[in-house]
Each structure stands twice: as structure tokens, then as C-alpha cells.
Amino acid sequence: MSAVGERSTTDASGRGAAFHSPPAGEGLRVVEPTLFERSRPGRRAVRFPAPSDAASTAAASQPPIPDAARRTAPLRLPEVSELELVRHFNRLSRLNHAIDIDFYPLGSCTMKYNPKLNEWAARLPGLAGSHPLDPGPLSQGSLELQWLLAELLREIGGFAAISLQPAAGAHGELTGMLMTRAFHRSRGEGDQRRVVLVPDSAHGTNPATASMVGFTTRTVPSNARGGIDLDALRGALGPDTAALMITNPSTLGIFEDQIEDVLSAVQTAGAIAYMDGANLNAILGRFRAGEAGFDVMHFNLHKTFSTPHGGGGPGAGPIGVSPRLAPFLPGPLPQLVDGDPATVLANAWSGRSTPDARFALEAPGARPTAIGQVRTFGGNFGMHLRAYAYIRANGAAGLRQVTEDAVLAANYVRVRLGDTYELPFDRICKHEVVFSARRQKREHGVSALDIAKAILDEGIHPPTIYFPLIVEEALMIEPTETETRETLDRFVTIMRDIAERSARDPETVRQSPRFTPVGRLDEAAAARQPDLAWPFPEADRTGATLSG
């Protein structure tokens, strides 16, 4: 795969893992050829055995494939050995940064270590090999695990009910907004309540999701302390308000300490209170959104409960809801149909199953008010397994410790770097701290982007930059609870060194990265003009098409 950019004579193939990096003065450079370039006729990674006599006999009785469905030429795939294949993808993987390689303080993404124990649990044959269409008697273990996970999330979030279906955080938001719309319609206010209020410190997915459901969004500004401007919120609330979507702690890493006033104002206005739970790592065991009065919150299992994420991999965004939204939850929900819930829970926490307990999916049409299915079957079951293993391994005290350590780590970085980078909101933070490179930009012409690229040269993933939008030259750092003090100290030293170089020799920072396989990419072009097709030689095209 090539990134993008104009072809160059320095790129012999024009393809492969190639990158164009004009800011560093580097031409197009191939760092790993494609498998097509390595292809040689006849090489195979896998050879299949000849069919048995029984298989041949069975195949002979099958109807032939219609001529119209047959290829007219062999499918043109690269022909390589298994070893070449393994080496190719291992080399490509080493071009990426990962949490298993080094520090990954990407703000608002909670890139923390994923214990391998969870992967072991997810690979247990009885669970990994289960299928959502297994008959009830064969799927009792899977259904019990999903029911137990929902009970755990209900307890953690303080909600009346849980759906595990949404496949990601933004999908959870979408589900919450669809339920908000259904709720207002059920009260005859669907045409009236068309506005969703979103603080300017919320995740960008919040207004995007509300818009997808057809709502109009209005921004609520922050006050001087980084919290919600209460007067502005009260002024914006009205009979047309459908919901408030708040990210708490916010993208400034600040817990909204006016939350009682915020919720009171929203409830008085008859609107739904939505809390974006992506930053739940900061408040586990310390704040329960449902208990506080929120109507709905999504959980990012792939952030908070230590399941791998990033790079487009599977996620899970279950939602918890208040009693008034429970009738609208997407189904079918896993249910305990025979057995005492308290006994089943007590046995599960003791590591036992409960004899005669029986689980089943909710019957179709059991809740006519449900918004319907938002995901096939019960959601991303593998993520449910990992989250369940993580929660059970930590227990209640362990989850509280997770939050305490995550908050401590962020505040350690805040204090250690507070004299080097500007702190727009200089107060105790939660799981992440947001600095500004405004001083470096103004005095030395070094931007947040330059600093992020310089961090790459140290083998560390950069923090989130230019977000939240309300902070100029933002550097959003989320160290998480899984890093050692030595790692945090090393990061602080690197950040101090970059600030010092910005003053002494700013050009070296602006030319970063200098030691990575490639320099700066044209990221906008890479996103808008991805070049992903392999150009077969023209002579090879004759007589062959993708379909024929």
C-alpha cells in the first residue's frame, strides 16, 4: 500500500509502503515493497491436500457452477511463500507505534496496557468458537456472561438497564440519540424538541451524532474555569431542547463540578441528560452517572476496560439508561429467565455457575417501544469477554485504584511541565492534562505539530494536538495508570528538551521527525487521495478482469 503523493523517480515501483515527505526534503521512499513485487509464479504459502475419494464423490453430485459465474482467467493474487508473507507483515507492523512498544499518551483515547490475560480469556475455545445462532441450550455460557457484564456495567454506571449492542463509542452515542428521539415522540413532543445542546469542551462526535439523528445542535461555551457556563446553559434551555450531551470529565480533562446545577437545569427543561462516557477511566468507582441523574451514557469498553483499540479494530459501546429510557433500549437483551438474580450474581462472583439457572435472549417484540436492533446479534462478543475479564480481575477496589492512578499520573505530568508549557486551565485535572504550545509558537515559531513530530524521534507516540478546539496550539496528554514513574519522568525530560531546543535551535524541531523511517506525510492528501490499487502491467491486463 502506498500513502500518497506525487510519483517520483526515486520510487522504482511507485508502490509499496511509500511515503512522500516534502517538509523534510525527502523524496518518495519505498520502505517495504508490496507482495505483488515479491510475487513469483508458483510460490505458495499454503498447499491443499488432494481431496479424498469421499469428498470427490460428494462433489461430483453437486450441481456445477454456472458458466456465467466462472472466471475466465485466474484471480491475480501475489504468489509468495509463507515465510515471505510472515516477514512482509512483520516488517510493516514495525513501522507502526503501539502500546506494547512504548509510551502512547494520546489524549482522550486512553491508550493503556491491555493485560494478556484478557486475550487468553477471549480465546478460550468454548467462547471463541461460540456462534450467535447456537441453540439456547448450547449458548448458556455466552448468554450468562453477557447478562453478568450488563449487571456489572449497571452497577458501575448506576443505571437501570444496559444494552451491549452498540459496536463503538460513537455508535453508543447514536443509539442514545435515537432513544432520545423515541422518548420525546412517545410524549407527543417529537416535532417540538429538535435541539441538542453541546458544550464546547465535548467530544466532536457529540454534535456530529446529534446531527445524524436530525437534531439541530447549539454550542454552550465554557466559563473561565473550563466548566460549563451555567448562565449560557440556562439561557439556551427551552421547550425546544431535546437533550444536553456533555463529555464528563471534559476534553479539558476537567470534571464538571457544577454537575448538580447542570442536571437540575436540564431536568427542569424536560430534556434528556446524556453523558459521554469515553473518559470513564477518570471516575471509576468515584462517580456514577445514572445515580447523579443522567438518563443515558455510553461506555467505551475498548478504552476503559482494557481491550485493544485503534486502527479501526472492533470496539464496543454499550449504553446505560435511566428508568424512563429503559423501554426504548435496543433489543434483544440477554435475560435471566429461570433463577434468582441475587443467587446467580453471588455464585458468579464466587467463580461458580448456578445450577438450573437459564438465560435467553429477549423474545422478538417483547418491548414494542424498543428502537430496534442497532447491531447484529448481541454486539461484539469478543470485546464483551475482554471487558468482563478485566473488570473481574480488578474487582471494585481495583477499578477505583485504576482511576486514582490515572488521575495521579496526569497531575504528575501537569505539575512537572507546568513551568514549561502554558496551562490554559491551571487546576487539578482528571485523567488527562491539556497544555498549550502558544508560547513556543509565538516566541520561536514552533507549533504544537512540530513538537508532536519531535516526540516521534524519541520513540514515543505524540499526544493529541489541536484538540480541544477551544485551546490554541493544544497538547492533550493522557498518560494512563499503566505507566511507571520512570516512563513519565522520561517523557517530562523529552518535553522539556523539546521546549529548550525550540528556543535555542527551533529549525531542528521544525524539521522533525528526523530518525523515523519516513518524515512528515501529507496527511490530508493521504486521507483524501489514498492510492491503494496495484497497477498490473498493461500486457498482463489482456483477457483478465476483476470479475472475469
Side-chain angles (χ1 to χ4, degrees), residues 376-545:
T376 52
F377 305 112
N380 284 335
F381 182 58
M383 300 300 107
H384 301 162
L385 284 170
R386 291 171 172 87
Y388 182 77
Y390 179 80
I391 294 171
R392 291 297 311 278
N394 279 281
L399 292 181
R400 281 192 293 272
Q401 189 70 48
V402 163
T403 278
E404 291 171 3
D405 291 349
V407 172
L408 179 63
N411 280 282
Y412 184 75
V413 172
R414 178 182 64 83
V415 172
R416 293 289 314 278
L417 289 177
D419 61 349
T420 306
Y421 295 90
E422 287 189 16
L423 272 169
F425 300 97
D426 191 5
R427 52 187 286 198
I428 292 177
C429 63
K430 288 299 179 183
H431 62 304
E432 61 195 4
V433 55
V434 179
F435 292 99
S436 169
R438 183 169 45 195
R439 184 190 309 154
Q440 285 74 20
K441 178 74 176 296
R442 183 178 61 244
E443 297 179 0
H444 312 300
V446 172
S447 66
L449 176 65
D450 298 327
I451 293 169
K453 298 299 184 185
I455 295 172
L456 281 171
D457 275 337
E458 306 296 333
I460 290 178
H461 195 286
T464 298
I465 56 175
Y466 299 112
F467 191 80
L469 300 177
I470 56 176
V471 174
E472 181 184 353
E473 297 292 322
L475 294 162
M476 180 198 278
I477 299 166
E478 183 178 2
T480 81
E481 75 281 5
T482 57
E483 300 295 341
T484 64
R485 180 174 172 177
E486 289 77 13
T487 298
L488 300 184
D489 285 339
R490 175 175 155 241
F491 177 69
V492 166
T493 300
I494 290 169
M495 291 294 286
R496 285 180 174 279
D497 176 69
I498 293 172
E500 189 274 330
R501 280 198 291 129
S502 297
R504 174 175 47 82
D505 186 7
E507 192 58 26
T508 63
V509 180
R510 287 195 288 266
Q511 288 295 321
S512 300
R514 295 175 295 165
F515 308 120
T516 52
V518 296
R520 297 197 187 190
L521 306 179
D522 184 345
E523 294 168 349
R528 294 173 181 171
Q529 303 167 37
D531 185 358
L532 306 173
W534 170 253
F536 289 102
E538 193 59 33
D540 191 38
R541 292 177 181 277
T542 53
T545 65

Side-chain angles (χ1 to χ4, degrees), residues 116-187:
K116 302 311 176 200
L117 177 67
N118 304 339
E119 301 304 309
W120 167 82
R123 287 199 302 268
L124 287 172
L127 296 169
S130 63
H131 191 280
L133 292 180
D134 284 344
L138 294 181
S139 57
Q140 288 300 294
S142 301
L143 291 171
E144 179 177 7
L145 188 142
Q146 289 186 303
W147 183 81
L148 289 170
L149 176 60
E151 288 296 302
L152 286 170
L153 296 179
R154 196 167 66 84
E155 174 68 19
I156 291 170
F159 286 105
I162 298 286
S163 171
L164 302 177
Q165 274 197 9
H171 196 194
E173 292 179 30
L174 177 65
T175 305
M177 283 293 98
L178 289 171
M179 294 172 64
T180 296
R181 187 176 67 181
F183 170 77
H184 290 308
R185 284 178 175 174
S186 74
R187 297 160 58 91

Side-chain angles (χ1 to χ4, degrees), residues 29-339:
R29 177 182 174 192
V30 177
V31 293
E32 174 64 17
T34 67
L35 285 176
F36 284 102
E37 290 170 287
R38 297 186 181 282
S39 178
R40 297 293 183 273
R43 287 186 183 164
R44 294 287 184 273
V46 177
R47 295 186 187 278
F48 297 100
S52 65
D53 292 342
S56 298
T57 302
S61 65
Q62 297 296 315
I65 298 174
D67 289 341
R70 290 178 178 270
R71 291 185 179 279
T72 57
L75 185 62
R76 294 179 296 180
L77 295 174
E79 299 178 74
V80 296
S81 70
E82 180 176 345
L83 180 56
E84 288 175 302
L85 190 70
V86 169
R87 285 176 175 168
H88 172 74
F89 284 109
N90 269 289
R91 282 192 291 264
L92 284 179
S93 72
R94 292 178 187 179
L95 297 176
N96 286 328
H97 190 84
I99 187 67
D100 287 351
I101 295 174
D102 211 323
F103 193 30
Y104 207 133
L106 193 63
S108 219
C109 285
T110 315
M111 299 297 289
K112 61 184 186 181
Y113 175 67
N114 305 299
K116 302 311 176 200
L117 177 67
N118 304 339
E119 301 304 309
W120 167 82
R123 287 199 302 268
L124 287 172
L127 296 169
S130 63
H131 191 280
L133 292 180
D134 284 344
L138 294 181
S139 57
Q140 288 300 294
S142 301
L143 291 171
E144 179 177 7
L145 188 142
Q146 289 186 303
W147 183 81
L148 289 170
L149 176 60
E151 288 296 302
L152 286 170
L153 296 179
R154 196 167 66 84
E155 174 68 19
I156 291 170
F159 286 105
I162 298 286
S163 171
L164 302 177
Q165 274 197 9
H171 196 194
E173 292 179 30
L174 177 65
T175 305
M177 283 293 98
L178 289 171
M179 294 172 64
T180 296
R181 187 176 67 181
F183 170 77
H184 290 308
R185 284 178 175 174
S186 74
R187 297 160 58 91
E189 297 181 327
D191 294 332
Q192 171 190 332
R193 293 186 179 273
R194 305 297 304 158
V195 176
V196 173
L197 304 179
V198 185
D200 60 9
S201 60
H203 281 128
T205 50
N206 293 176
T209 302
S211 298
M212 284 181 65
V213 180
F215 291 116
T216 298
T217 61
R218 290 180 190 159
T219 302
V220 180
S222 297
N223 60 25
R225 299 182 66 249
I228 292 179
D229 184 326
L230 267 181
D231 289 338
L233 173 64
R234 289 171 176 144
L237 286 166
D240 63 344
T241 308
L244 169 74
M245 294 186 83
I246 175 176
T247 301
N248 190 37
S250 70
T251 59
L252 295 170
I254 294 174
F255 184 82
E256 180 52 71
D257 53 11
Q258 312 167 98
I259 202 67
E260 290 184 7
D261 295 328
V262 169
L263 286 169
S264 174
V266 172
Q267 290 160 356
T268 300
I272 291 295
Y274 187 106
M275 184 173 130
D276 182 322
N279 293 338
L280 189 63
N281 212 49
I283 52 176
L284 282 172
R286 299 296 178 185
F287 178 77
R288 303 203 310 162
E291 190 175 60
F294 281 97
D295 291 294
V296 56
M297 181 188 84
H298 73 264
F299 301 77
N300 288 71
L301 297 191
H302 48 289
K303 291 185 179 182
T304 312
F305 301 116
S306 184
T307 61
H309 77 297
I319 53 171
V321 296
S322 63
R324 64 175 178 166
L325 284 190
F328 305 97
L329 270 177
L333 304 175
Q335 295 183 320
L336 173 65
V337 292
D338 284 327

